Amino acid sequence: MTFASTAFGVFTAPGEATWTARTQLNVFGRPLDQLECDVPSSLEITAVESPGLEAWQLADGAAGRTKISLTWRQSFDGSREIVFHGVFSPDREGRWHVPNLVLKDVSAHTGSLLLERPAGIRLQVLATNGVRPAESNESAASATRPNAA
């Protein structure tokens, strides 16, 4: 069985965004030496890092998707981190769509998302799919202070 948890980080600036996905794999039973993932083809993967990773390859996947094949030098079980880096641009209407990461053949995959932006840039969430909102640390801190605005 393989369980995964991914922390997605997106930093937006006018015209471009960087995307990072930090995935923690927990492998039990049969050791793992290969993993297939996919991302939207609008995301350009620039790097993949993981201890013992021998190679990563990109290929055309299902319609509108890019397949990422990961191969480690040795099979492993237990815990292993994978960090994916990429860049993407807004769509034709100027809207950002945060790319997802799909891990093939895992028992469960959960995640969290952190959106960052430069000072002076406002972010507005227009739609979500499969996302449960969480309170930010900043808003939680201001809610506990008396007379906080």
Side-chain angles (χ1 to χ4, degrees):
M1 294 175 67
T2 303
F3 299 95
S5 178
T6 301
F8 296 94
V10 175
F11 181 82
T12 60
E16 187 178 290
T18 59
W19 176 93
T20 302
R22 287 188 177 281
T23 299
Q24 188 67 42
L25 286 180
N26 290 296
V27 180
F28 302 98
R30 191 184 73 197
L32 184 72
D33 68 347
Q34 294 184 333
L35 181 67
E36 286 196 2
C37 320
D38 70 47
V39 294
S41 55
S42 59
L43 175 66
E44 180 182 337
I45 295 294
T46 57
V48 180
E49 305 164 8
S50 181
L53 187 65
E54 181 175 48
W56 59 277
Q57 296 179 326
L58 302 177
D60 291 337
R65 307 288 294 179
T66 298
K67 183 170 84 170
I68 308 168
S69 299
L70 307 176
T71 305
W72 283 268
R73 285 183 210 90
Q74 291 184 312
S75 298
F76 67 90
D77 60 0
S79 190
R80 182 72 51 111
E81 183 179 59
I82 310 166
V83 182
F84 301 86
H85 300 277
V87 295
F88 64 103
S89 298
D91 65 16
R92 291 183 177 146
E93 289 83 39
R95 294 183 180 172
W96 299 93
H97 300 271
V98 176
N100 65 340
L101 170 69
V102 176
L103 304 176
K104 305 294 183 177
D105 301 321
V106 297
S107 304
H109 186 195
T110 61
S112 60
L113 172 64
L114 174 65
L115 299 173
E116 296 183 89
R117 54 160 176 71
I121 301 289
R122 285 187 329 162
L123 296 179
Q124 179 182 12
V125 177
L126 300 176
T128 61
N129 183 9
V131 176
R132 233 180 313 176
E135 195 170 277
S136 73
N137 290 341
E138 184 178 294
S139 61
S142 67
T144 60
R145 288 193 308 257
N147 302 320

